[in-house]
Amino acid sequence: MTRIDRKFAALRAEGKKAFVSYIMAGDPDLETSLAVMKGLPAAGVDIIELGMPFTDPMADGPTIQLAGQRALDGGQTLQKTLDMVAEFRKGDDTTPVVMMGYYNPIYNRGVDTFLADALAAGIDGLIVVDLPPEEDEELCIPAQKAGINFIRLATPTTDDKRLPKVLQNTSGFVYYVSITGITGAAAAQAAEVGPEVARIKAKTDLPVIVGFGITTPEAAKQIAGVADGCVVGSAIVKQIAEGKSPADVTAFAGTLAAGAHSA
């Protein structure tokens, strides 16, 4: 079992839904983002998604694009992101960390080298949005063999014909993208999300977590209520963009976590 598997087992035992928080590594600088990361578990965050900054983030809206640009401008690299996780692990060996981003930086490093380094740093899962299931031999299957979950995205356009392909080598959880479009573009609606989550859950035993378009504690509660949990990214990243202190950012994340946990 990975840390992700253990976390979901513990949440199920407590009858709670999961709250997942996304932040961009190195935004606005390494010190600040590490301080935020370290504060998230105590605020109630169950799983941390850590963005790998990249120059061409095609799935991301302006908020996360700008976060990635701030991180890159500040000198953030893939190595520094791995180091950040290793530093986080010195004080927290239980909170799952999922790296989310694009394949180019991993490819440049070399898959085998990256997976060994990721495992050593304490990374539990990967979300690589530009590698479709047809490319599973490239990274997904090697990651699973190394003991790292490979988490796939399903979307409103993932029809019943496509869904089994999306699910076939997925592990950890399924990330359901609640809207058609980029991050931060629209509000998720529980009435629309619920039937889609049920459709996915009929085909897999994995938890289904919903992201994109969740910005308030009430929205977190509503979406978590029709899924196994929810992810918030852009709303938290906006707090960082506004120059809020790490304590204020984690306090905000805590209000969202409380919303999800009350579902």
Side-chain angles (χ1 to χ4, degrees), residues 1 8 60 69 74 112 126 131 136 139 142 153-154 161 167 175-176 183 189 204 221 226 235 247:
M1 287 179 80
F8 279 110
D60 294 313
Q69 197 58 55
D112 291 344
L126 296 173
L131 274 183
D136 274 359
L139 179 63
L153 303 180
K161 184 180 177 184
L167 295 174
Y175 187 135
Y176 179 68
T183 57
Q189 303 296 328
T204 180
K221 178 180 180 178
V226 297

Side-chain angles (χ1 to χ4, degrees), residues 98-206:
V98 175
M99 285 183 74
M100 183 172 187
Y102 300 84
Y103 186 46
N104 184 278
I106 297 169
Y107 176 80
N108 282 342
R109 194 178 188 91
V111 167
D112 291 344
T113 302
F114 169 77
L115 290 174
D117 294 344
L119 208 58
I123 287 160
D124 306 291
L126 296 173
I127 300 174
V128 182
V129 297
D130 54 350
L131 274 183
E134 287 74 15
E135 306 295 335
D136 274 359
E137 295 288 344
E138 193 81 17
L139 179 63
C140 171
I141 290 168
Q144 309 262 37
K145 286 179 179 174
I148 296 174
N149 290 133
F150 198 88
I151 295 145
R152 190 86 68 191
L153 303 180
T155 74
T157 60
T158 306
D159 61 19
D160 288 337
K161 184 180 177 184
R162 179 68 174 167
L163 186 59
K165 188 80 174 171
V166 169
L167 295 174
Q168 69 181 5
N169 289 317
T170 299
S171 65
F173 60 91
V174 178
Y175 187 135
Y176 179 68
V177 176
S178 65
I179 57 170
T180 305
I182 53 175
T183 57
Q189 303 296 328
E192 296 169 9
V193 169
E196 290 297 298
V197 170
R199 182 170 69 92
I200 296 166
K201 287 181 75 67
K203 303 289 185 183
T204 180
D205 293 331
L206 292 171

